[in-house]
Amino acid sequence: MAHIRGNRIRFSGNSDNDIISNLPPEILLEILDKLPTEDAMTTAILSPKWRNLWKILPRIELSDNMQKEREKKVVGMVNKFIKHYEGNKMKSFHVSLKYNTRKRKTYQSWIAFAATKNVEELHLDFHGDHRRAPPGLPPSFELPHNILNCASLVRLHLESIGLILLPAINLESLKELELVNSQLSDDATKVITKNCPKLESLVLRNCNRRRNLKITVAPQSNLSKLTIIEGYLLLSSNEISVNAPKVTKLNFLSGMWRSKYLIENVPAVTEARLSFDDMQFKVTKGIFYGEGTERKLDGLLENFQQAKVLHLCSKAITSMINPGKEFTSTRYFVSDVKFADDLAANSIFVGGKYWKTKHDAFKSCLQRLAAVEFVNLWGTYQTWDAKKFDPKKFFRACQDGYDLLIFLMENSPSFERFIFTTSKKQEEFPKLLFL
């Protein structure tokens, strides 16, 4: 008898009475497809009916989990999977392991296999020693050119992999592309967006950490969503520039480590998420880390006057509230203000009472404000009964947060509603409820 526990299958007793093994092969294949690849491959030993099922699985997902001792095992299992594979098409090929220069040809054969099997989703992560390479050098492993012309590819995730593009690149079905820890030439994003006609979403995470990052979207591209994420970087003289005339959604999360951020052409952006909570404000050996960041933010925010939806972190809000500055076209304003249970608000915006000290300047920004969302993911008040929401409990004892709610209602003539979001619940309330 077979028993399913969690995502594993256990067998016992007489196989003639094994209900699961007697199911049609297509049902058994669905069961295997829900198991981790490593477990699915081991089911070959259970009975003759299971012996070859794993050889036609539509996906493979294996990782060394950042454990050195698993590297050899993962390589062996991927090679075994490819050697015995009998399927005609793969939906997903997902491998994550530390890069080994001696396995370069092996890795290339994996990618070639995925391309010949008309893979739809390719996820490759080769973390390893190339991250300690001198500035300007690409990662040790470069993506084989055959995958750059794979007509079946819909989603592509590359981490710590060099991307050398040819004019002949043609990913006609690609819709989502994420590049992590990659070195990109100045024309890389333009070539990609020009030759991927269905590309909708581009994510660049920690790319060109030691050199300028130039992001140019080809005029004929249909790219609608652009995400730029930067983790911790040493303060540098490098720059980021963005030219994306048709992008409608832009997410930008950064510690503002670079010297300059140029958002040169984003006229179609209607929704932007700007988060700079990792900015450092501290003095180290006489140097003020954070000097000039307000100026950088001003330059960024000025480019989103036309946006209807702005998701702003506290630091972005404080930069926006300057005398004479008015976001007249901003219809929807999201404040990711988070509070600590011990009353010590982590937000400069609320905890530092910035909006109170800039009272008049703040009011000028709110003339077309229609809605505000408060996000609280960490507190004890994460859910409530219908029609029994208590804003004071949502803000807990942080009176500044509640005072801000009242201030926004009283000073935003176009205001309509509040949205309160926690880790468990989201609910909208009309302005009248709080009057």
Side-chain angles (χ1 to χ4, degrees):
M1 181 67 68
H3 306 277
I4 298 180
R5 288 189 178 181
N7 62 352
R8 296 180 180 275
I9 300 177
R10 292 184 59 207
F11 283 78
S12 61
N14 192 328
S15 61
D16 293 335
N17 297 320
D18 184 350
I19 297 176
I20 290 184
S21 290
N22 290 325
L23 290 172
E26 58 270 19
I27 301 299
L28 296 179
L29 191 61
E30 285 188 25
I31 293 174
L32 284 189
D33 194 36
K34 290 178 169 43
L35 295 176
T37 303
E38 193 168 339
D39 291 340
M41 292 176 69
T42 61
T43 59
I45 66 173
L46 298 177
S47 72
K49 196 166 185 178
W50 290 85
R51 185 169 300 149
N52 296 312
L53 277 176
W54 66 270
K55 298 177 183 179
I56 56 173
L57 279 173
R59 65 177 182 85
I60 179 174
E61 183 171 349
L62 290 167
S63 172
D64 63 1
N65 299 323
M66 296 290 187
Q67 300 174 12
K68 186 177 180 179
E69 61 273 13
R70 275 188 55 83
E71 177 189 343
K72 185 176 180 180
K73 182 177 182 179
V74 169
V75 171
M77 293 197 72
V78 176
N79 286 337
K80 179 181 178 180
F81 185 92
I82 291 174
K83 180 179 179 180
H84 296 282
Y85 194 71
E86 298 176 359
N88 297 319
K89 181 177 176 59
M90 292 207 69
K91 290 184 178 180
S92 175
F93 190 96
H94 183 147
V95 176
S96 174
L97 77 164
K98 183 178 179 180
Y99 180 75
N100 185 333
T101 55
R102 292 174 294 180
K103 300 291 184 180
R104 181 193 301 266
K105 291 185 178 180
T106 298
Y107 303 150
Q108 290 176 336
S109 70
W110 295 353
I111 298 171
F113 164 80
T116 59
K117 294 301 179 180
N118 298 314
V119 67
E120 294 181 11
E121 180 174 347
L122 180 63
H123 183 123
L124 297 173
D125 174 10
F126 290 126
H127 48 270
D129 56 4
H130 58 260
R131 293 181 180 177
R132 297 191 293 271
L137 288 182
S140 301
F141 181 78
E142 296 169 359
L143 195 68
H145 298 148
N146 58 350
I147 198 65
L148 297 178
N149 290 276
C150 182
S152 61
L153 202 57
V154 177
R155 286 176 292 276
L156 178 59
H157 176 111
L158 303 175
E159 186 162 348
S160 302
I161 292 176
L163 191 63
I164 295 180
L165 302 172
L166 297 176
I169 175 180
N170 181 21
L171 295 173
E172 60 186 48
S173 301
L174 190 68
K175 292 184 177 181
E176 300 174 15
L177 173 62
E178 181 169 2
L179 302 176
V180 184
N181 293 328
S182 296
Q183 296 292 328
L184 304 177
S185 62
D186 287 348
D187 66 343
T189 54
K190 186 174 183 179
V191 172
I192 290 170
T193 52
K194 179 182 178 181
N195 294 283
C196 301
K198 294 184 179 180
L199 188 63
E200 300 172 354
S201 173
L202 174 62
V203 178
L204 303 175
R205 186 190 298 267
N206 294 329
C207 292
N208 289 20
R209 296 165 68 94
R210 297 175 176 177
R211 54 174 292 185
N212 293 343
L213 177 59
K214 186 175 182 179
I215 303 169
T216 302
V217 178
Q220 65 269 46
S221 171
N222 291 312
L223 186 74
S224 60
K225 183 178 180 181
L226 174 62
T227 300
I228 306 165
I229 303 173
E230 291 193 307
Y232 176 76
L233 297 172
L234 294 176
L235 293 175
S236 72
S237 59
N238 297 330
E239 303 177 359
I240 280 184
S241 63
V242 178
N243 187 330
K246 292 185 180 179
V247 166
T248 57
K249 288 187 178 183
L250 191 147
N251 299 321
F252 189 27
L253 294 80
S254 172
M256 304 298 283
W257 312 106
R258 300 177 188 258
S259 64
K260 190 177 293 185
Y261 293 82
L262 303 173
I263 309 294
E264 299 172 316
N265 186 17
V266 288
V269 169
T270 58
E271 180 175 350
R273 180 181 295 275
L274 307 174
S275 178
F276 313 115
D277 284 334
D278 286 336
M279 286 197 309
Q280 286 190 338
F281 292 89
K282 65 180 181 180
V283 176
T284 303
K285 296 182 180 180
I287 301 175
F288 181 58
Y289 284 69
E291 188 174 8
T293 50
E294 293 294 329
R295 185 170 61 253
K296 296 177 190 177
L297 289 178
D298 282 347
L300 283 176
L301 293 170
E302 292 292 343
N303 291 278
F304 300 104
Q305 297 280 349
Q306 80 287 352
K308 292 185 178 181
V309 181
L310 283 178
H311 302 253
L312 300 178
C313 68
S314 298
K315 291 183 176 64
I317 296 172
T318 60
S319 176
M320 186 183 74
I321 305 168
N322 287 320
K325 184 181 294 187
E326 181 178 349
F327 275 58
T328 55
S329 61
T330 300
R331 295 281 306 176
Y332 182 63
F333 185 102
V334 180
S335 176
D336 291 317
V337 179
K338 302 176 178 66
F339 302 96
D341 282 325
D342 60 1
L343 315 184
N346 295 326
S347 165
I348 294 176
F349 177 49
V350 175
K353 303 183 181 180
Y354 191 94
W355 65 274
K356 290 184 178 180
T357 62
K358 299 290 184 179
H359 186 282
D360 293 333
F362 190 28
K363 288 170 62 176
S364 69
C365 301
L366 306 176
Q367 299 309 300
R368 297 187 63 185
L369 179 65
V372 171
E373 178 182 7
F374 287 100
V375 181
N376 181 356
L377 304 178
W378 301 330
T380 55
Y381 193 67
Q382 295 295 297
T383 188
W384 50 85
D385 295 331
K387 299 182 180 180
K388 291 186 178 181
F389 176 73
D390 187 338
K392 291 187 176 181
K393 288 184 179 179
F394 180 88
F395 292 110
R396 292 179 295 280
C398 188
Q399 185 62 36
D400 281 342
Y402 186 75
D403 290 347
L404 172 63
L405 181 150
I406 302 300
F407 177 85
L408 292 173
M409 284 195 303
E410 294 176 348
N411 294 280
S412 306
S414 301
F415 197 79
E416 299 172 359
R417 65 193 186 280
F418 286 103
I419 302 102
F420 293 89
T421 301
T422 68
S423 61
K424 297 181 179 179
K425 194 177 181 76
Q426 182 182 74
E427 190 167 355
E428 291 190 12
F429 297 98
K431 171 182 177 179
L432 294 175
L433 186 68
F434 298 97
L435 291 178

